[in-house]
Amino acid sequence: MSMLLMVEAMKIKVGNPLRKLVLIKLADNASDKGECFPSIAYIAEQCEISERSVQNHIKQLEADGLLKIESRKSESGLNKSNIYYLNFSGANAAPYGANGSISGANAAPSGESPAPVDGANAAPITSHIIEPVKEPVNNLIINGFDFSALNDELDKNLIDDFIKFRKSIKKPVTQGAVNYLIRELNKAISNGHKANELIEMTLSRGWQTFEYRYLNNLNQSTTSQKTNFMTLAERNRLVLESMRG
């Protein structure tokens, strides 16, 4: 989160309250360099608007020069969340009219006085209806947490169990904890492991989270166990030798 960018975002007038909310949410997820990659579904869930609305507002923010969009795909060719580069330097403080006026019912035509906001001649108030949030797709959002950076599919029931387990040990899940989990899972996924299997392993062993180094520890432990393992015939031979001694 970049506090500097959030402050700058709050100063900029974009002509629409929901668009302003989307811009602030992007700034909330951005690094100090202005780079972020939240999914459309995550932004929609956080702002309580539809994914289509988010897409339209981001498109307009790009047209206003407030951000650049970089599309990206996974190695399998599936779409991943876009990377957004916020750029507020030189941004027009009021792109939708002089003096910060917003286009709409109260915007006065050139050469005329602004429409009154009270009284008989007041312009009608336009109601902005917030569209319902659609269910997230492609496992991008699970229980309100953004998993779009994960390079594999996840079973929602496993994540439900993981969240419940974390609550039971007084370690509730946060987006920061999810980001760490994704980073460690991706290390293992790049070496041929499956995310669902790793989460199952984490739950079965009572781990607070998954870390890639745990796999190395397990491999070493398994090797050690194999080295010390004796067959039944070997054990019987040792017993006989001890009796003879």
Side-chain angles (χ1 to χ4, degrees), residues 67-196:
L67 58 83
K68 292 183 179 180
I69 303 174
E70 178 184 322
S71 301
R72 59 177 184 161
K73 293 181 179 293
S74 65
E75 294 181 356
S76 59
L78 297 176
N79 289 327
K80 297 181 67 175
S81 60
N82 295 328
I83 299 179
Y84 303 101
Y85 300 96
L86 304 183
N87 180 17
F88 299 157
S89 60
N92 186 353
Y96 284 80
N99 300 323
S101 61
I102 299 175
S103 59
N106 292 330
S110 176
E112 297 183 12
S113 300
V117 295
D118 296 309
N121 295 325
I125 298 175
T126 302
S127 174
H128 295 279
I129 300 176
I130 297 179
E131 302 176 27
V133 179
K134 296 180 181 179
E135 287 295 321
V137 295
N138 297 333
N139 287 329
L140 296 178
I141 303 296
I142 302 179
N143 282 356
F145 296 107
D146 186 3
F147 282 85
S148 61
L150 185 68
N151 297 328
D152 197 6
E153 293 293 313
L154 270 178
D155 185 341
K156 181 179 182 300
N157 292 329
L158 282 176
I159 296 301
D160 288 339
D161 292 341
F162 179 71
I163 292 174
K164 291 176 182 176
F165 169 70
R166 287 288 296 254
K167 288 182 178 179
S168 71
I169 61 173
K170 310 300 182 183
K171 297 288 184 180
V173 175
T174 63
Q175 186 61 49
V178 168
N179 293 341
Y180 181 84
L181 174 64
I182 290 173
R183 185 166 64 251
E184 294 299 303
L185 287 174
N186 281 340
K187 293 178 184 177
I189 291 168
S190 64
N191 284 284
H193 295 277
K194 295 294 183 181
N196 286 330

Side-chain angles (χ1 to χ4, degrees), residues 11-13 15 28 32 41 43 55 65 71 82 95 98 104 115 131 147 155 160 164 178 192 194 198 232 237 239-240:
K11 293 179 181 178
I12 297 173
K13 297 186 182 298
D28 178 44
D32 288 336
I43 299 172
Q55 291 171 335
S71 301
N82 295 328
E131 302 176 27
F147 282 85
D155 185 341
D160 288 339
K164 291 176 182 176
V178 168
K194 295 294 183 181
L198 297 172
L232 179 60
R237 186 172 65 252
V239 170
L240 289 174

Side-chain angles (χ1 to χ4, degrees), residues 205-223:
R205 294 179 177 272
W207 294 337
Q208 180 175 314
T209 188
F210 171 79
E211 294 187 26
Y212 180 63
R213 62 186 177 89
Y214 292 169
L215 293 179
N216 294 330
N217 293 341
L218 284 176
N219 291 336
Q220 293 174 1
S221 175
T222 301
T223 301

